[in-house]
Amino acid sequence: LHGSERVLAALDARMREVYVAAYRRDGAHWQCVQAPAVCKPDDVTVPPGAWTGAGDGFAQYPMLASRLALANVHVDARPSARAIALLAMPRVEIGATVPARDARPAYVRHRVALTSAERDAGVRL
């Protein structure tokens, strides 16, 4: 979010949970202050200081912003390819990249379902 120095992102994760992470601007770069996680809205915490909330998690759980005493909240903020590219550019400029074949998604939710083959084999979560 333009002009924000500290952002708490909260996206609706369904199943009465939110994906949440906190980032602080450090010059042209963003530092992860609170690693991405999935949790119940009542379990969300924010580091000390004035934070701006971003994401549809705040629309789904309106009490979240007031409970955390956030300075501002942008419920309509959504990740976009353009925003990701803009965030990536400073990292690309300093060579902090990996080859495409090594790129992996970061999963923060535990498995909640089995494949058909796993269910047929009697696997349990």
Side-chain angles (χ1 to χ4, degrees):
L1 297 169
H2 297 290
S4 297
E5 297 296 318
R6 297 180 185 145
V7 175
L8 177 70
L11 302 175
D12 183 15
R14 312 285 184 194
M15 299 172 29
R16 291 173 288 203
E17 294 179 319
V18 290
Y19 296 114
V20 64
Y23 301 91
R24 180 181 50 81
R25 184 185 300 274
D26 183 12
H29 304 279
W30 285 90
Q31 301 294 321
C32 183
V33 176
Q34 187 172 304
V38 63
C39 60
K40 301 287 184 197
D42 288 343
D43 296 335
V44 174
T45 60
V46 64
W51 290 83
T52 296
D56 65 355
F58 295 104
Q60 185 67 25
Y61 303 100
M63 79 306 189
L64 188 57
S66 60
R67 184 175 65 77
L68 298 173
L70 300 179
N72 295 300
V73 177
H74 302 273
V75 299
D76 57 345
R78 300 178 59 118
S80 69
R82 177 176 165 70
I84 292 167
L86 289 171
L87 290 169
M89 287 310 299
R91 296 182 59 83
V92 170
E93 290 170 357
I94 64 170
T97 62
V98 298
R101 70 178 176 277
D102 296 333
R104 301 283 183 265
Y107 292 103
V108 295
R109 183 189 292 282
H110 298 292
R111 284 185 64 187
V112 294
L114 298 170
T115 65
S116 297
E118 289 170 329
R119 283 193 306 274
D120 293 344
V123 175
R124 295 195 171 271
L125 290 177

